Amino acid sequence: MLTWIIIGIVVLLLAYVRLAPSDPARWHRQAAISGAETKQLKGGYIWRKAIEGDGKAELAALDKYALATDRTERLAGSVEEGQMTYITRSKVCGFPDYTTVSLINGQDGQRILEIYGRLRFGRSDLGVNANRIKGWVAAAQL
């Protein structure tokens, strides 16, 4: 009997992880950490690079590669808006990771391309967000 209760709890937790709604107001935003450098976080990764021009070509390239990534869909935003947020789910359990690609203005007026990947559940992403972001950056040749 106890075994079935434990199995039921596990199934409910996995269902919650898979089916929990994703609120764009919570996830469709830039990193709260300032600066122009790349940073490894406990549960995520921030990649930044100063760019020339309006950055729309870079955003379009990243959008193309992001949407080509397995189990990834756009949650909010567009290239025209200058910011897009994607949800990428893990293969087995469907844990969601959120990645926001943004054009931001640096302190000196320079345009900065920021890619901010973070987990929703847990404490460590085991480098998954950093690997995905580095893959997108390499594919887009940034």
Side-chain angles (χ1 to χ4, degrees):
M1 179 68 170
L2 180 61
T3 302
W4 287 109
I5 292 172
I6 292 171
I7 290 172
I9 290 171
V10 169
V11 168
L12 288 174
L13 287 173
L14 290 175
Y16 176 74
V17 165
R18 181 68 86 164
L19 302 173
S22 295
D23 180 11
R26 178 177 178 193
W27 298 105
H28 186 56
R29 56 182 160 181
Q30 301 163 356
I33 300 169
S34 63
E37 65 279 348
T38 295
K39 292 186 181 185
Q40 179 69 54
L41 308 172
K42 256 185 159 178
Y45 186 74
I46 301 170
W47 179 91
R48 292 185 178 126
K49 180 181 178 182
I51 57 169
E52 300 286 329
D54 68 358
K56 299 292 182 179
E58 290 86 348
L59 281 182
L62 285 166
D63 187 52
K64 173 185 170 186
Y65 292 109
L67 293 174
T69 303
D70 290 340
R71 300 172 308 282
T72 300
E73 62 186 63
R74 190 181 305 126
L75 173 66
S78 67
V79 172
E80 294 75 28
E81 182 185 314
Q83 181 168 299
M84 299 145 323
T85 298
Y86 307 92
I87 303 173
T88 304
R89 293 190 175 273
S90 63
K91 189 173 188 175
V92 177
C93 294
F95 284 99
D97 286 333
Y98 296 87
T99 308
T100 302
V101 179
S102 306
L103 286 171
I104 57 178
N105 291 319
Q107 293 178 355
D108 58 357
Q110 189 171 31
R111 300 285 279 171
I112 296 173
L113 180 61
E114 175 186 272
I115 309 173
Y116 174 36
R118 63 264 190 217
L119 54 76
R120 177 171 182 177
F121 299 107
R123 294 185 183 169
S124 173
D125 68 353
L126 303 174
V128 171
N129 282 297
N131 290 338
R132 182 175 44 259
I133 290 169
K134 289 174 184 177
W136 291 358
V137 167
Q141 299 178 345
L142 299 175

